[in-house]
């Protein structure tokens, strides 16, 4: 990179809105690599996230962030947006500043990045924005990724602010309804806020019975009159233990898995000797309460035509094939090892 001479007075560059095609973006990035005008390493994962926004209609072509090009025609700001244009294969409109001095890069990107919680405030979310944004990530991973990757790998799945807002508006807009229940679960069980809210939402969405959900959460939160064989009693004992994982980048997923397993065992009448959620196990699908009741009735009163559903101990559940069954131990502050 050639250093710029420092003139006595520097005129501000003119800003022109230009449409940048994938071919033009590739040419600018090639000049950037050739001249070494941007020592910042290209993060391909971030570029792919931006490309997703461009492809799904969440990219704003009138975003005032400037694409800054130096005298070589190289990008000293905006290389990730250019890479996203190439990945998405769609021309995009940018405000472009040309002949920007290299020294200007020292003061670029110094502002505080906007969080997803801040983005949610712009679409009318008033309170608990941080908890809601974290829960949306958890729910999206549950709905989309639980069949694809093991739950500890969820920490590597990142969504842009625009995606979080889109998920809220079109998939999880009723999350704020469950905030009082989230607070009760969090305070009664000591589970992570995102896991508490996600559990409340999923049990009511997929559990099939509001009355069963109300009974389940009442016992889970208060712990009153629970038998020691009740899965809720076992789970409360785990969460009240000082040794439970409290922090870490997959703690919310771990807590969610434990809470959902508790619902499944409770609604099917199964026992649970110790609360655990192995890293080799899939994030559980939620058992529908109505189907569970019918299965229990068929088991207790089998008829010639009716199905007989054998009861299973919790330990008999099948994990992901080809994986070991070792117990998972999470460090208290570092999350999943490795």
């Amino acid at each position: 990179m050639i250093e710029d001479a420092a003139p006595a007075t520097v005129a501000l560059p003119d800003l022109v809105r230009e449409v940048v095609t994938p071919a033009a973006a590739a040419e600018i990035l090639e000049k950037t690599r050739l001249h070494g005008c941007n020592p910042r390493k290209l993060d391909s994962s971030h570029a792919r996230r931006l490309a997703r926004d461009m492809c799904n209609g969440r990219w704003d072509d009138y975003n005032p962030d400037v694409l800054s090009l130096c005298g070589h025609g190289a990008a000293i700001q905006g290389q990730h947006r250019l890479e996203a244009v190439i990945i998405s294969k769609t021309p995009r409109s940018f405000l472009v500043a040309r002949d920007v001095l290299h020294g200007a890069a020292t003061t670029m990107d110094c502002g505080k990045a906007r969080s997803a919680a801040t983005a949610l405030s712009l679409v009318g979310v008033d309170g608990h924005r941080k908890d809601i944004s974290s829960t949306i990530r958890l729910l999206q991973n549950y709905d989309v990724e639980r069949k694809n990757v093991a739950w500890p790998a969820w920490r590597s799945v990142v969504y842009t602010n625009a995606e979080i807002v889109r998920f809220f508006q079109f998939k999880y807009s009723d999350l704020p309804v469950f905030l009082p229940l989230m607070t009760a679960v969090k305070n009664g069980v000591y589970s992570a806020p995102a896991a508490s809210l996600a559990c409340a939402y999923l049990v009511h969405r997929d559990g099939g019975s509001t009355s069963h959900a109300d009974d389940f959460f009442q016992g889970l939160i208060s712990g009153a009159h629970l038998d020691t064989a009740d899965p809720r009693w076992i789970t409360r004992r785990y969460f009240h233990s000082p040794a439970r994982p409290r922090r870490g980048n997959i703690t919310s997923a771990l807590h969610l898995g434990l809470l959902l397993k508790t619902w499944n065992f409770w609604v099917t009448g199964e026992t649970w000797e110790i609360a655990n959620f192995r890293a080799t196990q899939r994030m559980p699908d939620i058992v529908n309460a109505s189907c569970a009741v019918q299965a229990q009735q068929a088991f207790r009163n089998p008829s010639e035509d009716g199905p007989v559903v054998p009861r299973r101990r919790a330990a008999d559940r099948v994990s992901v094939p080809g994986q070991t069954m070792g117990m998972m131990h999470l460090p208290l502050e570092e999350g999943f090892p490795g």
Side-chain angles (χ1 to χ4, degrees), residues 36-98:
C37 297
N38 191 339
R40 188 179 187 184
K41 185 178 179 180
L42 182 69
D43 185 344
S44 58
S45 297
H46 180 61
R48 287 195 297 270
R49 290 194 290 271
L50 297 181
R52 288 204 308 262
D53 285 345
M54 293 179 179
C55 291
N56 62 29
R58 300 303 300 178
W59 182 264
D60 185 1
D61 279 335
Y62 292 93
N63 187 311
D65 282 348
V66 176
L67 175 61
S68 301
L69 307 181
C70 69
H72 300 120
I76 62 175
Q77 184 183 38
Q79 61 175 343
H80 291 95
R81 283 171 281 167
L82 293 170
E83 183 70 15
V85 168
I86 297 172
I87 296 171
S88 66
K89 300 180 181 179
T90 57
R92 309 308 303 194
S93 175
F94 298 102
L95 277 178
V96 180
R98 296 185 179 273

Side-chain angles (χ1 to χ4, degrees), residues 14-298:
D14 293 328
L15 299 181
V16 179
R17 183 161 294 281
E18 299 181 17
V19 175
V20 179
T21 64
E27 182 181 353
I28 294 172
L29 288 179
E30 179 60 29
K31 292 178 180 178
T32 305
R33 286 187 286 268
L34 178 63
H35 296 286
C37 297
N38 191 339
R40 188 179 187 184
K41 185 178 179 180
L42 182 69
D43 185 344
S44 58
S45 297
H46 180 61
R48 287 195 297 270
R49 290 194 290 271
L50 297 181
R52 288 204 308 262
D53 285 345
M54 293 179 179
C55 291
N56 62 29
R58 300 303 300 178
W59 182 264
D60 185 1
D61 279 335
Y62 292 93
N63 187 311
D65 282 348
V66 176
L67 175 61
S68 301
L69 307 181
C70 69
H72 300 120
I76 62 175
Q77 184 183 38
Q79 61 175 343
H80 291 95
R81 283 171 281 167
L82 293 170
E83 183 70 15
V85 168
I86 297 172
I87 296 171
S88 66
K89 300 180 181 179
T90 57
R92 309 308 303 194
S93 175
F94 298 102
L95 277 178
V96 180
R98 296 185 179 273
D99 298 322
V100 177
L101 298 179
H102 293 119
T106 60
T107 57
M108 292 178 179
D109 301 319
C110 294
K112 181 176 174 58
R114 296 182 186 273
S115 65
T118 301
L120 286 174
S121 69
L122 302 177
V123 294
V125 180
D126 295 327
H128 294 278
R129 291 189 294 268
K130 184 177 180 180
D131 293 334
I132 290 175
S133 64
S134 299
T135 303
I136 291 172
R137 292 185 180 92
L138 202 56
L139 289 174
Q140 182 67 11
N141 282 330
Y142 178 87
D143 286 338
V144 176
E145 300 293 345
R146 76 179 186 277
K147 303 294 186 181
N148 302 326
V149 298
W151 61 269
W154 288 6
R155 63 178 177 178
S156 63
V157 181
V158 180
Y159 301 106
T160 65
N161 292 352
E163 287 177 312
I164 294 297
V165 170
R166 179 167 59 91
F167 296 151
F168 174 77
Q169 291 178 314
F170 296 103
K171 297 182 66 174
Y172 310 117
S173 59
D174 53 342
L175 262 181
V177 174
F178 299 94
L179 286 173
L181 183 54
M182 176 208 75
T183 302
V185 172
K186 175 174 65 74
N187 293 339
V189 184
Y190 303 151
S191 49
S196 304
L197 182 54
C199 176
Y201 179 86
L202 290 171
V203 166
H204 280 87
R205 188 190 73 176
D206 301 339
S209 172
T210 301
S211 61
H212 279 79
D214 293 341
D215 291 343
F216 170 76
F217 283 113
Q218 182 178 4
L220 180 68
I221 293 167
S222 68
H225 310 297
L226 296 182
D227 186 86
T228 55
D230 191 311
R232 295 172 295 177
W233 187 88
I234 302 296
T235 298
R236 285 178 54 85
R237 184 177 65 176
Y238 169 86
F239 278 105
H240 285 249
S241 168
R244 80 185 191 284
R246 300 169 184 266
R247 289 178 288 179
N249 50 15
I250 60 168
T251 298
S252 292
L254 169 65
H255 288 187
L256 176 62
L258 288 166
L259 292 172
L260 295 184
K261 287 180 70 175
T262 304
W263 161 264
N264 288 349
F265 294 155
W266 176 80
V267 80
T268 56
E270 297 185 44
T271 60
W272 199 7
E273 294 182 0
I274 183 172
N276 66 82
F277 188 31
R278 300 181 181 94
T280 56
Q281 291 178 314
R282 290 182 177 179
M283 184 65 69
D285 294 326
I286 296 175
V287 174
N288 185 285
S290 301
C291 296
V293 170
Q294 293 174 4
Q296 290 182 41
Q297 291 174 347

